[in-house]
Amino acid sequence: HNNFNFEMEVVFVDVHFMLFYTAVFNAIQSVLVRVVSARRTDRAWVQTEDIDIGHYVAIRKEFDRVDNELKRVEQELDHESEGVGRNDRN
């Protein structure tokens, strides 16, 4: 026991206990973050699903109207570009 360095052993034990407690703290913190984030995302998802169906239908109708308008404009542009191409060839 004469060659055993007690001061070094005390520091070694303190460091290892500190690492152990840090790992335990990180595990608890990770679980807490997971629980809180799961609750918040579930609540947000439920709110998203609870959108009034009337609003969804109105949005869908507007989307279809705009989509049809864009298709109509695209067809007009295609027809105009075909007419310009024919005039250039003649």
Side-chain angles (χ1 to χ4, degrees):
H1 295 294
N2 292 339
N3 293 335
F4 192 74
N5 188 345
F6 285 103
E7 291 175 13
M8 189 103 144
E9 180 67 21
V10 168
V11 171
F12 179 82
V13 168
D14 287 345
V15 167
H16 279 79
F17 273 116
M18 183 59 67
L19 290 173
F20 172 76
Y21 288 128
T22 302
V24 169
F25 176 75
N26 284 340
I28 292 170
Q29 184 179 12
S30 296
V31 168
L32 183 64
V33 166
R34 195 254 181 241
V35 168
V36 170
S37 64
R39 284 186 181 177
R40 290 192 71 188
T41 54
D42 287 345
R43 191 175 306 133
W45 184 253
V46 167
Q47 287 174 351
T48 302
E49 287 181 336
D50 286 342
I51 291 177
D52 186 22
I53 193 70
H55 289 121
Y56 173 78
V57 170
I59 291 169
R60 184 65 196 187
K61 284 181 180 178
E62 182 65 14
F63 174 80
D64 290 340
R65 186 192 66 76
V66 170
D67 191 43
N68 289 334
E69 181 69 17
L70 286 173
K71 287 178 184 176
R72 186 188 62 77
V73 169
E74 191 175 70
Q75 287 175 352
E76 286 179 6
L77 289 175
D78 286 344
H79 289 302
E80 287 178 7
S81 66
E82 288 175 3
V84 171
R86 288 183 191 150
N87 291 338
D88 290 342
R89 291 182 200 152
N90 294 337

